[in-house]
Amino acid sequence: EAGVTQSPTHLIKTRGQQATLRCSPISGHTSVYWYQQALGLGLQFLLWYDEGEERNRGNFPPRFSGRQFPNYSSELNVNALELEDSALYLCASRDREETQYFGPGTRLLVL
Amino acid sequence: AQSVTQLDSHVSVSEGTPVLLRCNYSSSYSPSLFWYVQHPNKGLQLLLKYTSAATLVKGINGFEAEFKKSETSFHLTKPSAHMSDAAEYFCVVSDGRGGANNLFFGTGTRLTVIP
């Protein structure tokens, strides 16, 4: 069974630009979570999508947004990039036993 | 509110000796607790999880953890460290309210295994 996949693996942007990160959950999982792992700040919950709707968001500004598609894949968009947005962005999907399985991440570097 | 405290930021052991990674949690609800491992430049891999069944949980790669409610602890152990165990380990508590299952991560413990 294929795991959670994320693309791209690496992304380099400049300040003010927009970044789009993509995630495909494990087949059969309908919930997708996004987390930010920034150096020195640990892993922080960003967004939760389920059945195509945003269900909850962490303590991040509105320029962090996303969506979930009918096939349950998801996009994370970060607008007006700032240097401190540089981080590893992890996506996870959740099974019926409420366990989250993580993808390999997208490393975003903002210059 | 949910929170997790990993008591050691860095643990160093010799190959073949026991591993102990300490974790204390705070939760207003009956928690679900997890240990995840992250190897360099990789995503997180689930080691084991506790969901109010047996208090001693066995995971992959010989790891296990014991849920102790009276001590609010969920320490991770392994009898004999292997070089491949060198990684970052995260203790995680789940906020299951409303089906959210948002995960709250500890700050991580970096395990170094000395040959």
Side-chain angles (χ1 to χ4, degrees):
Chain A
E1 179 183 277
V4 177
T5 59
Q6 292 186 245
S7 64
T9 55
H10 293 81
L11 192 56
I12 300 176
K13 295 285 186 179
T14 57
R15 274 184 304 174
Q17 285 189 314
Q18 179 196 42
T20 298
L21 289 63
R22 296 179 178 84
C23 171
S24 291
I26 292 171
S27 178
H29 292 187
T30 62
S31 275
V32 170
Y33 297 78
W34 288 95
Y35 296 89
Q36 182 195 66
Q37 187 177 27
L39 199 61
L41 293 177
L43 276 144
Q44 308 284 333
F45 164 69
L46 258 170
L47 289 160
W48 169 39
Y49 290 95
D50 185 56
E51 297 287 355
E53 294 191 14
E54 182 182 303
R55 302 293 185 176
N56 199 10
R57 65 183 293 128
N59 189 26
F60 283 84
R63 58 191 185 83
F64 287 84
S65 65
R67 54 180 172 167
Q68 188 178 32
F69 298 99
N71 67 353
Y72 305 115
S73 67
S74 177
E75 265 183 10
L76 173 68
N77 296 294
V78 188
N79 294 319
L81 283 165
E82 301 177 2
L83 295 178
E84 52 265 35
D85 296 332
S86 295
L88 180 67
Y89 288 84
L90 293 166
C91 170
S93 69
R94 190 186 81 193
D95 67 12
R96 292 183 180 181
E97 280 80 45
E98 301 180 345
T99 299
Q100 294 189 22
Y101 297 89
F102 286 80
T106 293
R107 190 165 294 281
L108 172 64
L109 178 60
V110 182
L111 302 175
Chain B
Q2 279 64 242
S3 67
V4 172
T5 302
Q6 290 185 245
L7 298 164
D8 307 293
S9 60
H10 188 201
V11 170
S12 184
V13 301
S14 297
E15 189 177 18
T17 64
V19 176
L20 170 64
L21 305 182
R22 299 182 295 165
C23 172
N24 286 100
Y25 70 91
S26 172
S27 176
S28 304
Y29 306 88
S30 296
S32 292
L33 293 160
F34 306 80
W35 277 97
Y36 285 86
V37 61
Q38 186 176 32
H39 288 92
N41 300 312
K42 301 284 188 182
L44 274 70
Q45 180 184 18
L46 178 68
L47 276 179
L48 51 81
K49 65 178 180 179
Y50 166 78
T51 54
S52 73
T55 57
L56 182 63
V57 183
K58 293 188 183 298
I60 62 171
N61 301 335
F63 284 95
E64 62 181 37
E66 186 172 7
F67 174 73
K68 292 186 177 180
K69 187 175 181 178
S70 60
E71 299 176 9
T72 60
S73 69
F74 190 58
H75 301 334
L76 181 70
T77 60
K78 182 173 180 177
S80 176
H82 191 272
M83 293 300 295
S84 61
D85 294 329
E88 188 94 16
Y89 291 79
F90 293 94
C91 182
V92 182
V93 63
S94 173
D95 176 1
R97 290 172 296 164
N101 289 103
N102 302 336
L103 298 183
F104 294 85
F105 289 80
T107 50
T109 298
R110 182 165 299 278
L111 176 65
T112 298
V113 182
I114 303 166

